[in-house]
């Protein structure tokens, strides 16, 4: 008897500092009938993934980006910190848009719960850091504190909501959190707003009631069974490689491992099932939050032009994103760490200057760096190359033959610069819609 061919897991991650357009590319990849499900494997509601379908636009924070495709199953893995208030809100929003979610959403019972005090602890810690001039600029979603509790073995799991002693567990954790908040108040003057805490608790309690009605399951068994049936799954990265807790510019990072290596731990699958790693970049770079950003445009007027044309305002926090040139030095580091073999380049329609620059190296105290540094604040300058820009010429183009000469030169340049890394540029985005893209390398 022929053995059934087993399925595989492909991964998609951002290769810059987030907001590369991952949501759009996930939605596009899922539309080809290759995958039966999509899984978030790390992060939490700090993500903001924009997906568009016709006139409908949806920003997902915690729900996987297959939500607008009715036949796609949605998985939330165990390395995710689950903001239940955000999750229930997103499910309701999607229902109002005509998409049923509950029957196709599966949440790992080993996923971590974000408690109602985690966002307050996040803000308290940022308050402390702002006094020391070391603010991370977090999304205030409680991500750091939720991962801290998890690693300290004092956090709550999603599976805990079904236990008879759940209330007791919350009470213990809450007592610990309130003590911490008091420390932040006494030592750093953090203002504790009891009214806001009460409001947050009410919302959280309601969301927990709703979570109990969802499919909370042993996700690794479910995913492994799907793979055995020959079904393929797409793992959806949040944040990006340059924000990885171990390989980013610590502490200006998020609190999870964003690299594809974490797919195995975040879903409970062996590395042997992983096939392609899709890496997403923008034709330029953006970053939100603290820490040095070596590729940042020096000309503030030009930066503002990119910000406005690219609508570079956070999908989660609304904060303006800093804009910089494509940073090939950081990109090579991200490709080598992630093993990305297929690249999406988004926002190739946005180029507001006559000349476009590319960062090819970092300089520290007059020396050109050979490898990516531990601390970005030690980078004192960058080496760049420049070529002609293309203005608005390429918006909405979906045919390689119609691309302006300047953009074609730019894409060929990137390809040449990455030629020894074994990557192909699969698709180039020229607008926010799924149709606004063309294939480049094939
Ligand atoms: P994600 O976090 O990586 O999913 O990205 P975000 O959703 O935070 O930000 C990407 C933004 O760029 C969204 O507003 C998208 O609609 C938009 N976008 C994606 N690709 C393109 C593109 O090729 N051109 C333009 N102009 N906008 C794009
Ligand atoms: P998506 O998935 C861009 C940044 C924050 C901050 C740092 C730590 O939409 O690309 P956290 O709240 O995680 O503790 O914040 O990480 N950050 C993001 N930046 N896109 C994101 O997600 C981000 N998620 C977190 O701005 O600098
Ligand atoms: Mg985003």
């Amino acid at each position: 008897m022929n053995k059934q061919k087993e399925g595989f897991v492909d991964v998609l991650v951002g290769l810059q500092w987030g907001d590369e357009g991952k949501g759009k590319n996930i939605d596009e990849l899922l539309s080809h009938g290759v995958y039966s499900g999509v899984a978030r494997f790390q992060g939490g509601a700090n993500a903001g993934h924009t997906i568009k379908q016709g006139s409908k636009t949806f920003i997902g924070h915690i729900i996987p980006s297959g939500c607008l495709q009715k036949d796609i199953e949605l998985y939330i893995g165990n390395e995710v910190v689950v903001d239940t208030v955000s999750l229930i809100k997103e499910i309701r929003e999607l229902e109002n848009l005509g998409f049923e979610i509950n029957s196709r959403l599966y949440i790992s019972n080993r996923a971590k719960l974000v408690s109602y005090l985690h966002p307050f602890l996040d803000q308290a810690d940022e308050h402390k850091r702002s006094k020391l001039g070391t603010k991370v600029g977090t999304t205030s979603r409680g991500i750091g504190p939720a991962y801290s509790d998890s690693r300290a073995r004092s956090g709550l799991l999603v599976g805990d909501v079904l236990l008879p002693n759940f209330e007791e567990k919350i009470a213990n954790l809450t007592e610990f959190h309130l003590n911490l908040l008091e420390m932040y108040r006494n030592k750093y003057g953090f203002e504790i707003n009891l009214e806001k805490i009460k409001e947050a608790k009410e919302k959280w309690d309601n969301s927990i009631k709703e979570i109990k009605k969802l499919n909370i399951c042993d996700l690794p068994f479910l995913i492994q069974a799907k793979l055995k049936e020959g079904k393929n799954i797409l793992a959806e990265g949040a944040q990006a490689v340059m924000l990885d807790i171990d390989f980013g510019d610590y502490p200006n990072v998020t609190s999870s491992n964003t690299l594809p290596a974490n797919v195995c731990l975040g879903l409970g699958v062996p590395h042997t099932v992983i096939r392609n790693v899709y890496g997403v970049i923008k034709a330029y770079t953006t970053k939100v939050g603290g820490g040095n950003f070596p590729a940042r445009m020096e000309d503030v007027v030009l930066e503002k032009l990119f910000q406005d044309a690219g609508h570079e305002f956070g999908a989660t926090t609304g904060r303006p994103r800093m804009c910089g040139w494509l940073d090939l030095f950081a990109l090579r580091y991200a490709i080598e760490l992630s093993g990305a073999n297929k690249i999406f380049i988004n926002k190739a329609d946005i180029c507001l200057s006559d000349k476009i620059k590319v960062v090819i190296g970092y300089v520290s105290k007059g020396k050109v760096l050979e490898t990516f540094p531990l601390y970005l604040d030690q980078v004192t300058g960058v080496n760049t190359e420049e070529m002609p820009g293309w203005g608005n010429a390429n918006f909405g183009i979906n045919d390689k033959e119609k691309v302006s000469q300047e953009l074609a030169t730019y894409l060929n340049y990137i390809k040449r610069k990455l030629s020894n890394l074994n990557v192909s540029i699969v698709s180039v985005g020229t607008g926010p819609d799924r149709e606004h893209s063309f294939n480049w390398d094939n």
Side-chain angles (χ1 to χ4, degrees):
M1 207 173 76
N2 276 344
K3 192 171 173 265
Q4 163 120 35
K5 197 164 173 281
E6 293 204 356
F8 53 80
V9 175
D10 282 346
V11 187
L12 180 142
V13 290
L15 294 178
Q16 295 168 321
W17 276 266
D19 306 323
E20 297 89 350
K22 298 178 290 295
K24 180 186 84 168
N25 294 132
I26 289 272
D27 179 53
E28 206 265 328
L29 280 174
L30 291 171
S31 69
H32 301 307
V34 174
Y35 308 100
S36 66
V38 54
R40 278 285 305 270
F41 60 94
Q42 47 71 231
N46 46 351
H49 295 179
T50 312
I51 31 180
K52 289 190 76 178
Q53 214 177 72
S55 59
K56 291 176 185 168
T57 299
F58 177 76
I59 298 176
H61 301 288
I62 185 97
I63 200 96
S65 296
C67 48
L68 302 190
Q69 298 190 43
K70 295 183 174 169
D71 296 329
I72 296 288
E73 291 194 338
L74 310 170
Y75 308 119
I76 295 181
N78 54 276
E79 276 293 303
V80 175
V81 285
V82 180
D83 180 329
T84 51
V85 176
S86 190
L87 180 59
I88 298 300
K89 187 162 168 261
E90 288 171 50
I91 293 174
R92 296 288 169 265
E93 262 172 58
L94 285 159
E95 284 169 352
N96 289 336
L97 286 171
F99 299 94
E100 199 277 329
I101 300 296
N102 289 8
S103 68
R104 57 191 175 108
L105 173 66
Y106 299 87
I107 310 170
S108 168
N109 53 11
R110 294 172 190 271
K112 285 69 184 157
L113 268 187
V114 174
S115 91
Y116 64 95
L117 288 175
H118 281 143
F120 292 93
L121 286 167
D122 194 345
Q123 288 156 30
D125 197 54
E126 284 285 83
H127 174 85
K128 178 192 104 178
R129 286 173 190 270
S130 71
K131 301 213 158 224
L132 306 171
T134 57
K135 223 173 149 184
V136 175
T138 71
T139 57
S140 298
R141 296 295 184 111
I143 305 298
Y147 277 112
S148 304
D149 278 350
S150 163
R151 290 292 153 144
R153 291 157 297 184
S154 33
L156 300 170
L157 302 178
V158 167
D160 290 349
V161 301
L162 304 173
L163 294 178
N165 64 344
F166 181 55
E167 291 302 323
E168 193 189 316
K169 280 179 177 267
I170 300 172
N172 287 340
L173 189 63
T174 299
E175 188 190 359
F176 171 58
H177 286 170
L178 289 173
N179 285 338
L180 278 175
L181 283 175
E182 220 168 284
M183 181 278 290
Y184 281 110
R185 178 173 57 193
N186 296 340
K187 206 159 166 40
Y188 302 103
F190 177 70
E191 195 189 322
I192 301 176
N193 186 328
L194 290 176
E195 204 44 48
K196 277 200 174 153
I197 289 183
K198 194 171 152 230
E199 231 173 78
K201 179 172 170 20
E202 270 169 29
K203 280 192 189 159
W204 192 77
D205 286 344
N206 287 334
S207 71
I208 294 295
K209 279 186 204 135
E210 296 298 316
I211 288 291
K212 287 181 183 169
K213 299 178 199 160
L214 300 179
N215 301 312
I216 296 173
C217 64
D218 286 310
L219 196 64
F221 299 110
L222 178 70
I223 290 191
Q224 286 177 20
K226 298 279 172 192
L227 294 173
K228 285 199 178 83
E229 284 169 30
K231 294 190 169 147
N232 308 318
I233 287 164
L234 185 58
E236 170 176 1
Q239 292 76 58
V241 169
M242 300 310 296
L243 289 170
D244 184 279
I245 180 117
D246 282 303
F247 297 97
D249 176 36
Y250 192 89
N252 299 300
V253 290
T254 191
S255 295
S256 66
N257 283 111
T258 56
L259 281 168
N262 199 20
V263 169
C264 300
L265 300 174
L267 298 182
V269 293
H271 73 278
T272 45
V273 302
I274 294 182
R275 195 187 65 160
N276 286 308
V277 175
Y278 292 93
V280 187
I281 62 170
K282 286 194 254 217
Y284 52 98
T285 313
T286 61
K287 174 173 154 66
V288 215
N292 192 9
F293 180 23
R296 188 171 188 181
M297 291 170 192
E298 282 172 349
D299 180 342
V300 287
V301 177
L302 189 61
E303 181 183 36
K304 183 86 177 78
L305 285 176
F306 271 79
Q307 219 169 52
D308 289 341
H311 302 290
E312 298 298 356
F313 298 90
T316 299
T317 60
R319 291 177 295 175
R321 298 169 180 152
M322 294 177 274
C323 296
W325 305 112
L326 178 65
D327 184 340
L328 282 178
F329 190 64
L331 181 60
R332 290 184 67 86
Y333 175 65
I335 290 175
E336 288 187 318
L337 284 172
S338 63
N341 60 331
K342 290 176 185 287
I343 308 284
F344 284 105
I345 303 182
N346 286 321
K347 295 208 166 168
D349 51 309
I350 313 281
C351 178
L352 280 301
S353 50
D354 326 338
K355 302 243 182 259
I356 188 155
K357 284 193 194 176
V358 175
V359 171
I360 52 162
Y362 287 179
V363 177
S364 180
K365 294 182 202 126
K367 272 195 169 161
V368 177
L369 298 182
E370 282 182 17
T371 55
F372 201 82
L374 171 59
Y375 305 115
L376 280 185
D377 63 6
Q378 290 177 352
V379 178
T380 48
V382 290
N383 288 333
T384 59
E385 287 180 345
E386 70 176 30
M387 59 207 85
W390 51 88
N392 290 320
N394 296 291
F395 178 79
I397 282 188
N398 55 12
D399 178 354
K400 185 178 175 175
E401 304 305 323
K402 296 196 176 136
V403 167
S404 76
Q405 189 51 50
E406 294 83 1
L407 177 55
T409 304
Y410 188 64
L411 295 172
N412 281 327
Y413 167 88
I414 297 173
K415 197 177 156 183
R416 219 172 36 250
K417 286 287 189 184
L418 302 178
S419 61
N420 61 343
L421 290 179
N422 213 8
V423 294
S424 59
I425 298 171
V426 285
S427 174
V428 179
T430 54
D433 292 358
R434 230 198 250 168
E435 300 73 40
H436 295 154
S437 67
F438 57 87
N439 295 334
W440 186 249
D441 262 357
N442 43 18

